[in-house]
Amino acid sequence: MNVINPATEEVISVLTPDTAATVAAKLKALRAGQKNWQNHSVEERLAIIERFGELVVENKPELARILTSETGKPISQSINEINGSLGRIQHLKINAEKWLESEMITPKDATVEFITHEPLGVIANISAWNFPYNVGYNVFLYALVAGNAVLYKPSEFASLTGLKFGALLHEAGVPANVFEVVIGSGAVGQYLLEADLDGYFFTGSYKTGVHITQTVAHKLVPVQLELGGKDPLYVMDDVVDVRQAAINAAEGAFYNNGQSCCAVERIYVQEDIYEEFVQHFTEEVKSYKLGDPMEEDTFTGPLTRPQQIAVLADQIKDAVAKGAQLVLGGESLNRKGYFMSPAVLTGVNHTMELMREESFGPIIGIQKVSSDEEATDLMRDTPYGLTAAVFSEDEARARKVLDQMNVGTVYWNCCDRVSPNIPWSGRKNSGLGATLSYMGIRAFTQPKAYHWRG
Ligand code: NDP
């Protein structure tokens, strides 16, 4: 299996994919390892995960280069991701023991009642390439601390990073038969669905999420899905600094080339400030340095997967045919690599795919609205339910709009943000279940209820 650098189209590594037989052997080993791992105290498991965090810090420059070389993520953003994801370890360190300890419910009754939180067993973590540290840690670190063994399949587009996770976890003290990496494409992922695992934790597209859920349904084991979004941002007419709102919105839309599950995917702007907002927004996007992702000041690198360029080109074509104006970008570069300049479209509406289908790339539509009611209706007009954002000076006005959103996360005067302190979850086509917060560790446990008569 060739690993290709999306900025140069060069093969940077050749890996041997797993087979049904190697997946079965890894699972067998994990079954044995998990029993022992669950007998370690939470404190011992946490100490190992903390050591893993230290090793990540010690190896940060190399890890960032690996991530950039296989995904095209600009190097400064690779470093940001590695730094930011360490917050998950800190969060576990502070909270995991308290969330995993047994809970006494009725200590004084004739029948004493209490709950313990047992690990699920051996779980599958099928992960995505766009933020492998963040979305990986959300699952495999929390699962390990809770006493599970993990069969981890990185996306084929982040395989080298996935292999590094395995090597560093083992070096930190996670036994080899407690965390195993499976290398390969979706076809190899399919072997995991057929294997006898105790839970499926997936980050990726709606289509694959549904396929996984249907395939493993008969096992009656937990399935958790972190899927895509079509996340709206509404800029109200009372924002004091329209330019700053435009800068923040552009970053929400174009950070990591728009390849974030919670990237701003559509923008609604109140008519009184629309022209001014569009002008500042396009100026800001024009200032982004596009090019070699290994250079520290590059903000926009190549797309990770070449096939996404055709998806984005179709969205632009469809929108323009229906009356939108392409005010900036959408061009390929005269160089090797999967590059497309960030595209800004105005005069858009909901008949256009751009405003309805996940873009997952450097493209945004900005639509004019005349009232909060109109914006609310448009923001709700989607099969997805990941996040929604409002920029406004007026908290009550923003809250009124955001309370009507059927999404897992709402943002007032911020966007494109994930915190380990509060749950990360999608509704409708954006997912099932939650990671992070106490919910994100309980997700990897099953309760046992004790009815205790002395
Ligand atoms: P995919 O659904 O294509 O792939 C996700 C993972 O599933 C990959 O590891 C992939 O392997 C694997 N896979 C594909 N087919 C199968 C199969 N039949 N059986 C088992 N595994 C399979 O998603 P992308 O990689 O394109 O990721 C982008 C998507 O992820 C976007 O929709 C994005 O919004 C979403 N996402 C959501 C997040 C959230 O927290 N809500 C966070 C990050 C991304 P391979 O890549 O090797 O083909």
mmCIF file of all heavy atoms in Angstrom, residues 126-130 135 153-157 184-186 189-190 193 202-205 208 211-212 226-229 261 305 358 360 386 424 430, ligand 1:
data_model
loop_
_atom_site.group_PDB
_atom_site.id
_atom_site.type_symbol
_atom_site.label_atom_id
_atom_site.label_comp_id
_atom_site.label_asym_id
_atom_site.label_seq_id
_atom_site.Cartn_x
_atom_site.Cartn_y
_atom_site.Cartn_z
ATOM 1 N N ILE A 126 -12.213 2.804 14.381
ATOM 2 C CA ILE A 126 -11.998 3.061 12.939
ATOM 3 C C ILE A 126 -11.996 4.575 12.776
ATOM 4 O O ILE A 126 -13.007 5.230 13.034
ATOM 5 C CB ILE A 126 -13.101 2.388 12.094
ATOM 6 C CG1 ILE A 126 -13.104 0.879 12.366
ATOM 7 C CG2 ILE A 126 -12.892 2.682 10.611
ATOM 8 C CD1 ILE A 126 -14.233 0.108 11.691
ATOM 9 N N SER A 127 -10.858 5.121 12.372
ATOM 10 C CA SER A 127 -10.656 6.561 12.538
ATOM 11 C C SER A 127 -10.478 7.298 11.209
ATOM 12 O O SER A 127 -10.317 6.681 10.154
ATOM 13 C CB SER A 127 -9.437 6.781 13.437
ATOM 14 O OG SER A 127 -9.491 8.039 14.033
ATOM 15 N N ALA A 128 -10.497 8.618 11.290
ATOM 16 C CA ALA A 128 -10.384 9.477 10.096
ATOM 17 C C ALA A 128 -9.000 10.114 10.023
ATOM 18 O O ALA A 128 -8.239 10.099 10.988
ATOM 19 C CB ALA A 128 -11.471 10.549 10.132
ATOM 20 N N TRP A 129 -8.708 10.717 8.856
ATOM 21 C CA TRP A 129 -7.364 11.245 8.610
ATOM 22 C C TRP A 129 -7.229 12.732 8.897
ATOM 23 O O TRP A 129 -6.132 13.259 8.941
ATOM 24 C CB TRP A 129 -6.980 11.010 7.128
ATOM 25 C CG TRP A 129 -8.102 11.379 6.203
ATOM 26 C CD1 TRP A 129 -9.035 10.532 5.690
ATOM 27 C CD2 TRP A 129 -8.457 12.678 5.732
ATOM 28 N NE1 TRP A 129 -9.958 11.217 4.935
ATOM 29 C CE2 TRP A 129 -9.614 12.542 4.940
ATOM 30 C CE3 TRP A 129 -7.918 13.967 5.907
ATOM 31 C CZ2 TRP A 129 -10.243 13.628 4.315
ATOM 32 C CZ3 TRP A 129 -8.541 15.042 5.303
ATOM 33 C CH2 TRP A 129 -9.679 14.869 4.510
ATOM 34 N N ASN A 130 -8.362 13.429 9.065
ATOM 35 C CA ASN A 130 -8.262 14.900 9.054
ATOM 36 C C ASN A 130 -7.685 15.474 10.353
ATOM 37 O O ASN A 130 -6.957 16.463 10.314
ATOM 38 C CB ASN A 130 -9.615 15.530 8.724
ATOM 39 C CG ASN A 130 -10.700 15.145 9.700
ATOM 40 O OD1 ASN A 130 -10.599 14.123 10.383
ATOM 41 N ND2 ASN A 130 -11.734 15.940 9.772
ATOM 42 N N VAL A 135 -9.258 13.085 16.985
ATOM 43 C CA VAL A 135 -10.334 12.094 16.923
ATOM 44 C C VAL A 135 -9.841 10.722 17.398
ATOM 45 O O VAL A 135 -10.620 9.934 17.930
ATOM 46 C CB VAL A 135 -11.009 12.020 15.530
ATOM 47 C CG1 VAL A 135 -11.640 13.336 15.154
ATOM 48 C CG2 VAL A 135 -10.068 11.551 14.461
ATOM 49 N N LYS A 153 -7.816 1.134 13.651
ATOM 50 C CA LYS A 153 -7.555 1.258 12.213
ATOM 51 C C LYS A 153 -7.535 2.734 11.840
ATOM 52 O O LYS A 153 -8.557 3.393 11.773
ATOM 53 C CB LYS A 153 -8.613 0.550 11.376
ATOM 54 C CG LYS A 153 -8.160 0.517 9.906
ATOM 55 C CD LYS A 153 -9.266 0.199 8.956
ATOM 56 C CE LYS A 153 -9.492 1.173 7.841
ATOM 57 N NZ LYS A 153 -8.501 2.117 7.457
ATOM 58 N N PRO A 154 -6.319 3.269 11.614
ATOM 59 C CA PRO A 154 -6.268 4.641 11.124
ATOM 60 C C PRO A 154 -6.792 4.662 9.691
ATOM 61 O O PRO A 154 -6.826 3.623 9.027
ATOM 62 C CB PRO A 154 -4.771 4.974 11.151
ATOM 63 C CG PRO A 154 -4.067 3.660 11.054
ATOM 64 C CD PRO A 154 -4.993 2.628 11.658
ATOM 65 N N SER A 155 -7.169 5.832 9.227
ATOM 66 C CA SER A 155 -7.483 5.952 7.804
ATOM 67 C C SER A 155 -6.227 5.613 7.017
ATOM 68 O O SER A 155 -5.106 5.872 7.463
ATOM 69 C CB SER A 155 -7.913 7.379 7.495
ATOM 70 O OG SER A 155 -7.795 7.617 6.104
ATOM 71 N N GLU A 156 -6.400 5.077 5.822
ATOM 72 C CA GLU A 156 -5.220 4.778 4.987
ATOM 73 C C GLU A 156 -4.432 6.054 4.683
ATOM 74 O O GLU A 156 -3.262 5.990 4.340
ATOM 75 C CB GLU A 156 -5.643 4.094 3.692
ATOM 76 C CG GLU A 156 -6.510 4.950 2.803
ATOM 77 C CD GLU A 156 -7.089 4.186 1.627
ATOM 78 O OE1 GLU A 156 -6.303 3.687 0.813
ATOM 79 O OE2 GLU A 156 -8.324 4.087 1.540
ATOM 80 N N PHE A 157 -5.087 7.233 4.823
ATOM 81 C CA PHE A 157 -4.406 8.501 4.549
ATOM 82 C C PHE A 157 -3.671 9.037 5.788
ATOM 83 O O PHE A 157 -3.110 10.128 5.742
ATOM 84 C CB PHE A 157 -5.401 9.550 4.033
ATOM 85 C CG PHE A 157 -6.111 9.099 2.785
ATOM 86 C CD1 PHE A 157 -7.411 8.607 2.846
ATOM 87 C CD2 PHE A 157 -5.468 9.101 1.565
ATOM 88 C CE1 PHE A 157 -8.063 8.160 1.713
ATOM 89 C CE2 PHE A 157 -6.109 8.661 0.412
ATOM 90 C CZ PHE A 157 -7.409 8.184 0.488
ATOM 91 N N GLY A 184 -4.519 -0.494 6.344
ATOM 92 C CA GLY A 184 -5.195 -0.832 5.090
ATOM 93 C C GLY A 184 -6.325 0.115 4.777
ATOM 94 O O GLY A 184 -6.611 1.051 5.523
ATOM 95 N N SER A 185 -6.986 -0.163 3.667
ATOM 96 C CA SER A 185 -8.074 0.697 3.189
ATOM 97 C C SER A 185 -9.388 0.270 3.845
ATOM 98 O O SER A 185 -9.413 -0.551 4.760
ATOM 99 C CB SER A 185 -8.173 0.555 1.678
ATOM 100 O OG SER A 185 -8.557 -0.776 1.402
ATOM 101 N N GLY A 186 -10.484 0.790 3.294
ATOM 102 C CA GLY A 186 -11.803 0.423 3.806
ATOM 103 C C GLY A 186 -12.055 -1.077 3.745
ATOM 104 O O GLY A 186 -12.733 -1.635 4.610
ATOM 105 N N GLY A 189 -10.801 -2.456 6.747
ATOM 106 C CA GLY A 189 -11.729 -2.063 7.818
ATOM 107 C C GLY A 189 -12.894 -3.037 7.901
ATOM 108 O O GLY A 189 -13.398 -3.345 8.988
ATOM 109 N N GLN A 190 -13.305 -3.523 6.762
ATOM 110 C CA GLN A 190 -14.426 -4.477 6.703
ATOM 111 C C GLN A 190 -14.138 -5.731 7.542
ATOM 112 O O GLN A 190 -15.042 -6.290 8.144
ATOM 113 C CB GLN A 190 -14.666 -4.837 5.226
ATOM 114 C CG GLN A 190 -15.872 -5.689 4.962
ATOM 115 C CD GLN A 190 -17.206 -4.939 5.127
ATOM 116 O OE1 GLN A 190 -17.268 -3.712 5.004
ATOM 117 N NE2 GLN A 190 -18.245 -5.677 5.456
ATOM 118 N N LEU A 193 -15.311 -5.318 10.940
ATOM 119 C CA LEU A 193 -16.767 -5.416 11.114
ATOM 120 C C LEU A 193 -17.186 -6.875 11.234
ATOM 121 O O LEU A 193 -18.150 -7.200 11.917
ATOM 122 C CB LEU A 193 -17.496 -4.771 9.931
ATOM 123 C CG LEU A 193 -17.061 -3.353 9.551
ATOM 124 C CD1 LEU A 193 -17.991 -2.781 8.497
ATOM 125 C CD2 LEU A 193 -16.994 -2.444 10.771
ATOM 126 N N PHE A 202 -16.433 4.829 15.610
ATOM 127 C CA PHE A 202 -16.093 5.211 14.242
ATOM 128 C C PHE A 202 -16.084 6.729 14.093
ATOM 129 O O PHE A 202 -16.972 7.419 14.606
ATOM 130 C CB PHE A 202 -17.142 4.602 13.298
ATOM 131 C CG PHE A 202 -17.041 5.108 11.884
ATOM 132 C CD1 PHE A 202 -16.020 4.656 11.049
ATOM 133 C CD2 PHE A 202 -17.948 6.026 11.386
ATOM 134 C CE1 PHE A 202 -15.919 5.126 9.737
ATOM 135 C CE2 PHE A 202 -17.854 6.493 10.085
ATOM 136 C CZ PHE A 202 -16.835 6.042 9.260
ATOM 137 N N THR A 203 -15.110 7.240 13.366
ATOM 138 C CA THR A 203 -15.115 8.642 12.941
ATOM 139 C C THR A 203 -14.952 8.647 11.430
ATOM 140 O O THR A 203 -13.986 8.081 10.908
ATOM 141 C CB THR A 203 -13.952 9.431 13.564
ATOM 142 O OG1 THR A 203 -13.968 9.218 14.969
ATOM 143 C CG2 THR A 203 -14.086 10.913 13.279
ATOM 144 N N GLY A 204 -15.876 9.278 10.743
ATOM 145 C CA GLY A 204 -15.797 9.310 9.288
ATOM 146 C C GLY A 204 -17.091 9.801 8.692
ATOM 147 O O GLY A 204 -17.844 10.555 9.318
ATOM 148 N N SER A 205 -17.372 9.335 7.486
ATOM 149 C CA SER A 205 -18.508 9.872 6.743
ATOM 150 C C SER A 205 -19.828 9.193 7.146
ATOM 151 O O SER A 205 -19.836 8.074 7.680
ATOM 152 C CB SER A 205 -18.270 9.665 5.249
ATOM 153 O OG SER A 205 -18.185 8.277 4.982
ATOM 154 N N THR A 208 -20.259 5.658 5.377
ATOM 155 C CA THR A 208 -19.559 4.535 6.008
ATOM 156 C C THR A 208 -20.149 4.250 7.387
ATOM 157 O O THR A 208 -20.250 3.087 7.796
ATOM 158 C CB THR A 208 -18.047 4.825 6.107
ATOM 159 O OG1 THR A 208 -17.578 5.281 4.852
ATOM 160 C CG2 THR A 208 -17.265 3.585 6.499
ATOM 161 N N HIS A 211 -23.119 2.136 6.991
ATOM 162 C CA HIS A 211 -22.697 0.779 6.583
ATOM 163 C C HIS A 211 -22.204 -0.017 7.800
ATOM 164 O O HIS A 211 -22.565 -1.181 7.994
ATOM 165 C CB HIS A 211 -21.595 0.887 5.523
ATOM 166 C CG HIS A 211 -20.923 -0.410 5.224
ATOM 167 N ND1 HIS A 211 -21.547 -1.416 4.515
ATOM 168 C CD2 HIS A 211 -19.703 -0.893 5.579
ATOM 169 C CE1 HIS A 211 -20.733 -2.455 4.440
ATOM 170 N NE2 HIS A 211 -19.607 -2.162 5.068
ATOM 171 N N ILE A 212 -21.388 0.630 8.622
ATOM 172 C CA ILE A 212 -20.847 -0.056 9.812
ATOM 173 C C ILE A 212 -21.991 -0.453 10.743
ATOM 174 O O ILE A 212 -22.071 -1.595 11.211
ATOM 175 C CB ILE A 212 -19.813 0.850 10.517
ATOM 176 C CG1 ILE A 212 -18.549 0.934 9.658
ATOM 177 C CG2 ILE A 212 -19.498 0.349 11.935
ATOM 178 C CD1 ILE A 212 -17.481 1.872 10.172
ATOM 179 N N GLU A 226 -19.040 9.348 14.974
ATOM 180 C CA GLU A 226 -18.746 10.781 14.880
ATOM 181 C C GLU A 226 -18.669 11.080 13.390
ATOM 182 O O GLU A 226 -17.684 10.721 12.735
ATOM 183 C CB GLU A 226 -17.390 11.098 15.523
ATOM 184 C CG GLU A 226 -17.244 10.648 16.957
ATOM 185 C CD GLU A 226 -17.815 11.635 17.952
ATOM 186 O OE1 GLU A 226 -18.264 12.717 17.540
ATOM 187 O OE2 GLU A 226 -17.826 11.314 19.139
ATOM 188 N N LEU A 227 -19.698 11.724 12.861
ATOM 189 C CA LEU A 227 -19.797 11.846 11.403
ATOM 190 C C LEU A 227 -19.646 13.295 10.941
ATOM 191 O O LEU A 227 -19.197 14.151 11.690
ATOM 192 C CB LEU A 227 -21.123 11.251 10.941
ATOM 193 C CG LEU A 227 -21.419 9.830 11.449
ATOM 194 C CD1 LEU A 227 -22.791 9.366 10.997
ATOM 195 C CD2 LEU A 227 -20.346 8.850 10.999
ATOM 196 N N GLY A 228 -20.051 13.542 9.729
ATOM 197 C CA GLY A 228 -19.823 14.857 9.123
ATOM 198 C C GLY A 228 -20.867 15.888 9.515
ATOM 199 O O GLY A 228 -21.748 15.640 10.332
ATOM 200 N N GLY A 229 -20.756 17.055 8.900
ATOM 201 C CA GLY A 229 -21.700 18.130 9.206
ATOM 202 C C GLY A 229 -21.837 19.086 8.039
ATOM 203 O O GLY A 229 -21.117 18.993 7.034
ATOM 204 N N CYS A 261 -14.533 18.230 10.639
ATOM 205 C CA CYS A 261 -15.933 17.842 10.747
ATOM 206 C C CYS A 261 -16.783 19.030 11.146
ATOM 207 O O CYS A 261 -17.913 19.173 10.709
ATOM 208 C CB CYS A 261 -16.090 16.722 11.761
ATOM 209 S SG CYS A 261 -15.305 17.087 13.316
ATOM 210 N N ARG A 305 -7.106 14.180 -0.125
ATOM 211 C CA ARG A 305 -7.509 13.167 -1.119
ATOM 212 C C ARG A 305 -7.812 13.846 -2.451
ATOM 213 O O ARG A 305 -8.639 14.780 -2.499
ATOM 214 C CB ARG A 305 -8.765 12.439 -0.647
ATOM 215 C CG ARG A 305 -8.550 11.611 0.605
ATOM 216 C CD ARG A 305 -9.884 11.142 1.143
ATOM 217 N NE ARG A 305 -10.802 12.280 1.243
ATOM 218 C CZ ARG A 305 -12.102 12.193 1.375
ATOM 219 N NH1 ARG A 305 -12.678 11.029 1.423
ATOM 220 N NH2 ARG A 305 -12.856 13.271 1.454
ATOM 221 N N GLU A 358 -22.262 18.123 2.470
ATOM 222 C CA GLU A 358 -20.969 18.410 3.103
ATOM 223 C C GLU A 358 -19.915 18.650 2.014
ATOM 224 O O GLU A 358 -19.812 17.873 1.063
ATOM 225 C CB GLU A 358 -20.541 17.234 3.990
ATOM 226 C CG GLU A 358 -19.322 17.572 4.830
ATOM 227 C CD GLU A 358 -18.855 16.419 5.726
ATOM 228 O OE1 GLU A 358 -19.028 15.250 5.359
ATOM 229 O OE2 GLU A 358 -18.289 16.712 6.799
ATOM 230 N N PHE A 360 -16.440 19.598 2.825
ATOM 231 C CA PHE A 360 -15.196 19.042 3.367
ATOM 232 C C PHE A 360 -13.995 19.478 2.536
ATOM 233 O O PHE A 360 -13.158 18.674 2.127
ATOM 234 C CB PHE A 360 -15.293 17.511 3.453
ATOM 235 C CG PHE A 360 -14.581 16.956 4.655
ATOM 236 C CD1 PHE A 360 -14.983 17.308 5.922
ATOM 237 C CD2 PHE A 360 -13.495 16.102 4.528
ATOM 238 C CE1 PHE A 360 -14.334 16.824 7.040
ATOM 239 C CE2 PHE A 360 -12.832 15.611 5.639
ATOM 240 C CZ PHE A 360 -13.260 15.976 6.896
ATOM 241 N N LEU A 386 -24.402 18.635 13.583
ATOM 242 C CA LEU A 386 -23.174 18.619 14.389
ATOM 243 C C LEU A 386 -23.047 19.916 15.208
ATOM 244 O O LEU A 386 -23.126 19.882 16.426
ATOM 245 C CB LEU A 386 -21.958 18.399 13.484
ATOM 246 C CG LEU A 386 -20.660 18.024 14.191
ATOM 247 C CD1 LEU A 386 -20.812 16.754 15.006
ATOM 248 C CD2 LEU A 386 -19.516 17.844 13.181
ATOM 249 N N TRP A 424 -18.788 15.806 22.899
ATOM 250 C CA TRP A 424 -18.747 16.015 21.455
ATOM 251 C C TRP A 424 -19.688 15.005 20.839
ATOM 252 O O TRP A 424 -19.460 13.794 20.938
ATOM 253 C CB TRP A 424 -17.314 15.827 20.933
ATOM 254 C CG TRP A 424 -17.184 16.119 19.481
ATOM 255 C CD1 TRP A 424 -16.862 15.244 18.485
ATOM 256 C CD2 TRP A 424 -17.392 17.389 18.858
ATOM 257 N NE1 TRP A 424 -16.860 15.899 17.284
ATOM 258 C CE2 TRP A 424 -17.188 17.221 17.484
ATOM 259 C CE3 TRP A 424 -17.747 18.659 19.325
ATOM 260 C CZ2 TRP A 424 -17.314 18.260 16.560
ATOM 261 C CZ3 TRP A 424 -17.873 19.696 18.417
ATOM 262 C CH2 TRP A 424 -17.648 19.493 17.057
ATOM 263 N N SER A 430 -25.261 13.367 11.650
ATOM 264 C CA SER A 430 -23.916 13.701 12.149
ATOM 265 C C SER A 430 -23.420 12.758 13.226
ATOM 266 O O SER A 430 -22.298 12.930 13.701
ATOM 267 C CB SER A 430 -23.887 15.147 12.675
ATOM 268 O OG SER A 430 -24.019 16.043 11.610
HETATM 269 P P1 NDP B 1 -14.670 7.579 5.527
HETATM 270 O O1 NDP B 1 -16.019 7.240 6.013
HETATM 271 O O2 NDP B 1 -14.381 7.421 4.091
HETATM 272 O O3 NDP B 1 -13.562 6.737 6.300
HETATM 273 C C1 NDP B 1 -13.450 6.710 7.705
HETATM 274 C C2 NDP B 1 -12.761 5.444 8.140
HETATM 275 O O4 NDP B 1 -13.553 4.306 7.798
HETATM 276 C C3 NDP B 1 -11.413 5.224 7.466
HETATM 277 O O5 NDP B 1 -10.524 4.606 8.374
HETATM 278 C C4 NDP B 1 -11.791 4.301 6.333
HETATM 279 O O6 NDP B 1 -10.701 3.615 5.825
HETATM 280 C C5 NDP B 1 -12.771 3.400 7.042
HETATM 281 N N1 NDP B 1 -13.643 2.628 6.172
HETATM 282 C C6 NDP B 1 -14.073 2.908 4.920
HETATM 283 N N2 NDP B 1 -14.890 1.918 4.473
HETATM 284 C C7 NDP B 1 -14.969 1.004 5.470
HETATM 285 C C8 NDP B 1 -15.653 -0.263 5.618
HETATM 286 N N3 NDP B 1 -16.413 -0.774 4.652
HETATM 287 N N4 NDP B 1 -15.517 -0.931 6.777
HETATM 288 C C9 NDP B 1 -14.756 -0.431 7.776
HETATM 289 N N5 NDP B 1 -14.078 0.735 7.682
HETATM 290 C C10 NDP B 1 -14.187 1.444 6.542
HETATM 291 O O7 NDP B 1 -14.412 9.087 6.002
HETATM 292 P P2 NDP B 1 -13.170 10.010 5.656
HETATM 293 O O8 NDP B 1 -11.900 9.345 5.935
HETATM 294 O O9 NDP B 1 -13.378 10.580 4.323
HETATM 295 O O10 NDP B 1 -13.333 11.150 6.748
HETATM 296 C C11 NDP B 1 -14.005 12.310 6.465
HETATM 297 C C12 NDP B 1 -15.376 12.309 7.105
HETATM 298 O O11 NDP B 1 -15.222 12.168 8.507
HETATM 299 C C13 NDP B 1 -16.136 13.601 6.912
HETATM 300 O O12 NDP B 1 -17.492 13.346 6.651
HETATM 301 C C14 NDP B 1 -15.968 14.287 8.248
HETATM 302 O O13 NDP B 1 -16.936 15.248 8.500
HETATM 303 C C15 NDP B 1 -16.005 13.149 9.186
HETATM 304 N N6 NDP B 1 -15.384 13.455 10.486
HETATM 305 C C16 NDP B 1 -16.173 13.621 11.583
HETATM 306 C C17 NDP B 1 -15.637 13.978 12.814
HETATM 307 C C18 NDP B 1 -16.505 14.156 14.021
HETATM 308 O O14 NDP B 1 -15.962 14.198 15.118
HETATM 309 N N7 NDP B 1 -17.810 14.260 13.889
HETATM 310 C C19 NDP B 1 -14.192 14.205 12.950
HETATM 311 C C20 NDP B 1 -13.438 13.999 11.750
HETATM 312 C C21 NDP B 1 -14.038 13.634 10.558
HETATM 313 P P3 NDP B 1 -9.815 4.282 4.662
HETATM 314 O O15 NDP B 1 -9.643 5.732 4.945
HETATM 315 O O16 NDP B 1 -8.553 3.531 4.784
HETATM 316 O O17 NDP B 1 -10.592 4.073 3.405
#
